[in-house]
Amino acid sequence: MLSEFELIKNYFVRARQGRAVVGIGDDCAVIAPAAGKQMAISSDMLVEDRHFFAGADARMLGHKSLAVNLSDLAAMGARPLGFTLALALPAADPVWLEAFASGLFALADEFDCELIGGDTTKGPLTICITVFGELAPGQALRRDAALAGDDIWISGALGDARLALAHYWNEHRLSDAALAQAAPRMHAPTPRVALGQALAQGQLARAAIDISDGLAGDLRHILGASGLGATLDADALPAGPVLAQQDSDLRRRFCVAGGDDYELCFTAAPAQRAAVQEAGLRTGTAVTRVGRMETARGLRLVDSAGKALTLKVAGFDHFAS
Ligand code: ADP
Ligand code: MG
């Protein structure tokens, strides 16, 4: 049986560490902020049976645990620097740990984000990561910074993660091929880190949020914080390739109120349209203009002809369900 310290040493301490002044092994990690930069810090917790199914693939779980955190840095426009990992495990299973660490570190290396500390305990499987990133002062993409008249943009595509979940919940059956295409969007989301940084550094976007609980619910946080309303064109929303094959009602519903998309929703002045498109091209991320910020409070949905739509568009709330 692995001891706690062997477990940390075998699976989480890596040969090449350098970002922290003091890394794993002391009471605290010590990091030196770059001169003139600010730090962006965020935590996200994944709990078995709440955020993922029991028996979920450990490699994808390693990826997703860090991806959802990197997505928060992306939504702020920050550059990832490091993270801590607090882990409760029912048992020290070497096969599980090896797979979890490989998924985690593959993504960490892709975004040059170093594991600098954490905590390990026995308990029901729970993964809590805290990420640290850096920003130039004044460049954070805040939720309260949208202005009336701003365009609303979405990165990538929406709804395929929710569609995979609908399959697992027996809400909507998918063919094996469709499930194989949609499931990675749920299990292994792509954080839009390069786009977020480009939007912040170029001062192209005003407000941003990452879509974890469904577009409508998350956009409402921007509306509330900025004291504004919005109209969304439901038919302009970029559906994922699998959702795009489904009927228009399901397509609209899962685009507007899906979940687990980890795309960015951001606002930008109409004068920035070309620059936003260029930032999308430069970072290899599709960007689609889907609506407009308005002074009239509330969220309105219209179809491509401008006709009002009524959809039940509550966001996901852990304590309401
Ligand atoms: P403490 O008793 O001060 O909480 P621990 O004994 O829990 O310290 O941890 C020892 C060292 O290992 C610390 O530097 C801590 O940050 C690190 N650590 C513990 N668990 C993890 C983990 N899952 N991933 C990375 N580092 C970890
Ligand atoms: Mg500890």
Side-chain angles (χ1 to χ4, degrees):
M1 196 64 189
L2 280 171
S3 76
E4 178 187 333
F5 299 102
E6 284 168 340
L7 185 160
I8 296 165
K9 187 165 143 295
N10 291 357
Y11 297 100
F12 297 116
V13 179
R14 304 176 84 197
R16 193 180 50 78
Q17 292 217 302
R19 180 145 294 152
V21 179
V22 180
I24 294 173
D26 215 315
D27 296 311
C28 287
V30 177
I31 47 181
K37 292 285 170 75
Q38 296 179 335
M39 295 211 84
I41 302 163
S42 179
S43 294
D44 249 317
M45 183 152 62
L46 271 75
V47 176
E48 186 171 72
D49 285 329
R50 188 73 217 174
H51 301 92
F52 58 90
F53 297 122
D57 179 87
R59 190 181 154 83
M60 286 204 265
L61 204 51
H63 173 106
K64 186 166 181 174
S65 307
L66 183 58
V68 301
N69 278 277
L70 290 172
S71 180
D72 284 314
L73 289 183
M76 217 64 184
R79 178 169 87 99
L81 294 176
F83 66 105
T84 60
L85 169 67
L87 200 54
L89 295 170
D93 171 358
V95 174
W96 190 93
L97 281 160
E98 182 70 44
F100 176 82
S102 76
L104 180 84
F105 286 126
L107 193 69
D109 290 346
E110 185 180 339
F111 291 102
D112 192 22
C113 191
E114 189 173 297
L115 179 60
I116 58 172
D119 197 25
T120 307
T121 180
K122 190 164 177 158
L125 184 56
T126 304
I127 304 144
C128 182
I129 286 181
T130 298
V131 273
F132 303 82
E134 72 176 18
L135 276 169
Q139 287 188 358
L141 304 174
R142 302 166 53 125
R143 296 179 182 186
D144 61 4
L147 294 181
D150 279 1
D151 294 321
I152 300 171
W153 296 81
I154 302 286
S155 70
L158 300 171
D160 275 1
R162 179 64 181 81
L163 193 58
L165 186 63
H167 175 90
Y168 297 127
W169 280 351
N170 288 319
E171 219 178 25
H172 184 87
R173 297 298 295 179
L174 293 174
S175 69
D176 289 351
L179 181 63
Q181 201 183 349
R185 285 300 309 242
M186 175 183 167
H187 298 305
T190 303
R192 303 301 187 186
V193 172
L195 177 66
Q197 280 179 257
L199 295 173
Q201 286 168 3
Q203 295 179 286
L204 307 180
R206 287 207 176 98
I209 191 167
D210 67 321
I211 307 173
S212 51
D213 299 332
L215 168 60
D218 287 322
L219 176 57
R220 279 204 176 97
H221 294 306
I222 290 183
L223 303 188
S226 297
L228 295 171
T231 296
L232 280 180
D233 176 353
D235 294 325
L237 296 174
V242 189
L243 184 59
Q245 312 289 316
Q246 314 296 318
D247 69 62
S248 71
D249 180 61
L250 192 71
R251 216 164 55 223
R252 285 172 180 161
R253 255 192 316 127
F254 283 2
C255 280
V256 173
D260 265 1
D261 294 303
Y262 298 100
E263 295 296 352
L264 298 184
C265 172
F266 58 96
T267 84
Q272 300 288 4
R273 278 178 196 171
V276 169
Q277 293 283 5
E278 197 277 324
L281 280 176
R282 187 157 35 91
T283 59
T285 316
V287 287
T288 309
R289 196 154 49 81
V290 299
R292 197 175 48 253
M293 298 295 296
E294 294 163 344
T295 48
R297 299 293 186 102
L299 179 57
R300 291 160 289 281
L301 273 178
V302 296
D303 67 12
S304 52
K307 189 163 129 329
L309 295 172
T310 48
L311 281 179
K312 200 181 157 294
V313 289
F316 185 74
D317 178 340
H318 284 286
F319 293 98
S321 50

